[in-house]
Amino acid sequence: MGPSSLEAMEDLNSVTVGPLKRRVLERKRIREIIKTKLQRNLSCTGSKLKKTLTGFFPVVKWLPKYKVKDYIWGDLMSGIIIGIILIPQAIAYCLLAGLDPIYGLYTSFFSNIIYFFMGTSRHVSVGIFSLMSLMVGQVVDREVYLAGFDLNEDSTKNALGLNGTGKANTTLVNLKIIALNMECGKECYAISIATALTFLAGVYQVLMAILRLGFVSVYLSAPMLDGFATGASCTILTVQAKYLVGLKIPRHQGYGTVVVTWINIFKNIHKTNFCDLITSAICIIVLLAGKEIQDRYKDRLKIPLPTELVVVAVATVVSHFADLNGQFSSSISGAIPTGFIPPKVPSVELMPRVAYDAIPLAVISFAFTVSLSEMFAKKNGYTVRPNQEMIAIGFCNIIPSFFHSFTTSAALAKTMVKDSTGCQTQVSSVVSALVVLLVLLFFAPFFYALQKCVLACIIIVSLRGALRKFLDVPKQWRESKIEAIVWLVSMSSTALISVEIGLLIGVVFSMICVVVQTQNPKVSLLGQIEQTNDYEDMEEYDNLSPVPKVKIFRFQAPLFYANKDFFLKSLYKATDLEPFLEITRRRKLEKKAREKAAKKTDRVDETNGDVSVSLISQHIDFHTIILDCSCISIIDTVGVSTFKMVLKDYKEVGVNVILACCNTPVIDSLRRGSFFGAGDKDMERLSFHTIHSAVCFATHATQPVNDSSV
């Protein structure tokens, strides 16, 4: 290299690597950064206040620009259809949540209204969701059981104080453990648990948005979420199975719900209510037939078939006029009052009992909402703000918790229906809320005679899509064995242990798989593509020519403390040369050669010793190793030390080691670790921008580099 380039290396304002000159980025001091951010965030101006309000309530920005002629019919149609779908689902999913049906209607109404004001997605349908209902129901049943209520007993008084028709007396208990100033029945206590849980979940979501913790969702990989949802679907199916045959057995508390519940069902199978069994069979056949027709002729049908609503309406009429509850003891929904319950602050005393349970609820709720928002925004050509989505779903839980609602989330099935029926904006959510409001104000009492087994059928048939994931396992196994294993582990742990533990196991296992992949990455030796300056893996491609006397080694992962041993083993194996063993072998051969010479001459012949070493050195068929660092995104101090050790060890056996294709973060880490020597004086001899430039250098440099840099 010329003296001009060496002088450039010593320039304080730049770092020269070959013909390129690194820019020096001026980094602000931490104090200045904090001061600037505080000034920007704490200052208050008219324009900033307006921007904050429009950011917090996006409806203020898009509603004045609403194109009535273009959007109104699509929003009306999709809103009415979603409202019709919501009514039976809202009533049915309360079975999962262990609550009265009225609370599902409240949840569907308030969540749609709040998301209209605060959401940034035009298509997402936020409301009651089977997975959230299951997780809420597990907490509710546990706390109701611990409070001393009999889970087998049907209350004769609901949260409104209305008398039911059951024969059992209302169980009242003085809730001393939470220091309430009132006595509360089972249903009252259940909704108190649900609202406290929902309030905390919403608070967690808003805090995550404020603290910019949305990155947590990146650890919820798609295979893990799919496996988790499928495992939860198995749990939901199991929990609802007892209603299909009319068995009155309590929900199992603790781990292994799926296994224990099925054992209890078969133990009590002789108590099957044949009225419920026949009703369930008919409803499932009709619902499945409707779904299949919908799937087969979805291109011809302009709107989805309201199969659930038809089944609910017909089943309610039949149950009422045939008096199935009185004649055959079939379980029914019971009284569903009209109107709204006065708002109530969620119980602060109950919150410590459910604080930990709210964490997985908050994470899963915002993960599904944000992912669905981004998915449909990309599909329809607009953008959403994930942080605002977290705030929106957080307040969709916080505010409704004052109005006797439970945890909500975006739902894939209803969102797809909105998208396919012409939805343009969240005006459709207001229309859906108005449909639910009609039921709340006028039609709710008509569902009194609706059998619970019908609601269970609606829930189970809605799981059809998630349960079909089992059919995709062979295909997923062929595409990626690791992702298939993640799916299986997440699904199995969720179904066989518990939903919360399954989520934790799924996240941890998927992260372990990532770590294992970085610990055991693919390594390869490269050869030159004929008549080009490009190089590729000789195991993967034909017609590649190895560079004479040069080994080009590629390591396809970051280099850090966890995989540095694998890096060394792979390098030694690929080059078929481990320096330490080679040095030991040479020393033994030199010793034997000297001993043999000493027997002949009674002295050590230095010349013969040199000749022996020379002959031994010819065992190595290459003089340079080029480390292709193009796939090494980061390197820690242990990795830098590993590079320095490799450089030193191979130099001792007469082999040069040089680097190629290092990115700037790796170069900076190597410079900080003094890999290039004092003042980076050896940078131009040890680091090259391309593999070909390194090869050209290596073919003209057959002597080991100076060891001063190590």
Side-chain angles (χ1 to χ4, degrees), residues 461-469:
V461 172
S462 70
L463 303 175
R464 189 177 58 129
L467 295 176
R468 278 181 172 176
K469 294 288 185 180

Side-chain angles (χ1 to χ4, degrees), residues 194-369:
T195 55
L197 180 68
T198 300
F199 178 82
L200 284 178
V203 170
Y204 291 159
Q205 288 167 336
V206 173
L207 287 176
M208 284 191 290
I210 294 173
L211 299 175
R212 300 292 194 272
L213 296 180
F215 69 88
V216 173
S217 63
V218 303
Y219 297 105
L220 306 177
S221 64
M224 191 281 297
L225 280 177
D226 283 345
F228 172 73
T230 306
S233 297
C234 294
T235 305
I236 293 171
L237 187 151
T238 301
V239 170
Q240 296 304 300
K242 65 180 181 180
Y243 295 107
L244 301 183
V245 293
L247 296 179
K248 297 180 179 180
I249 55 178
R251 185 182 296 185
H252 173 68
Q253 302 300 313
Y255 303 135
T257 297
V258 171
V259 176
V260 174
T261 301
W262 282 111
I263 291 174
N264 290 335
I265 288 174
F266 284 109
K267 281 183 178 179
N268 295 274
I269 199 69
H270 60 282
K271 299 178 182 178
T272 297
N273 186 310
F274 288 97
C275 175
D276 286 345
L277 179 61
I278 295 171
T279 303
S280 300
I282 295 173
C283 290
I284 288 177
I285 291 172
V286 173
L287 289 168
L288 286 176
K291 294 292 184 183
E292 289 298 325
I293 293 172
Q294 177 68 44
D295 292 343
R296 182 169 296 183
Y297 301 103
K298 60 183 177 182
D299 296 332
R300 300 181 186 179
L301 297 173
K302 295 183 178 180
I303 61 174
L305 297 176
T307 314
E308 291 91 345
L309 188 63
V310 172
V311 168
V312 166
V314 173
T316 303
V317 171
V318 172
S319 176
H320 173 73
F321 287 103
D323 190 19
L324 298 182
N325 176 246
Q327 295 292 329
F328 303 101
S329 299
S330 180
S331 296
I332 59 175
S333 298
I336 304 177
T338 57
F340 290 91
I341 303 175
K344 180 182 177 182
V345 177
S347 174
V348 178
E349 292 84 357
L350 283 170
M351 290 181 187
R353 300 184 62 84
V354 296
Y356 292 109
D357 301 296
I359 296 175
L361 269 173
V363 173
I364 292 298
S365 176
F366 96 76
F368 274 103
T369 301

Side-chain angles (χ1 to χ4, degrees), residues 647 651 655-658 685-686 697 703-709:
L647 183 67
K651 176 256 178 188
V655 177
N656 296 334
V657 176
I658 57 180
R685 292 188 295 170
L686 294 177
F697 176 84
Q703 297 299 322
V705 297
N706 194 337
D707 191 35
S708 61
S709 63

Side-chain angles (χ1 to χ4, degrees), residues 186-202:
K186 184 174 77 171
E187 294 302 334
C188 171
Y189 185 59
I191 190 60
S192 298
I193 290 291
T195 55
L197 180 68
T198 300
F199 178 82
L200 284 178

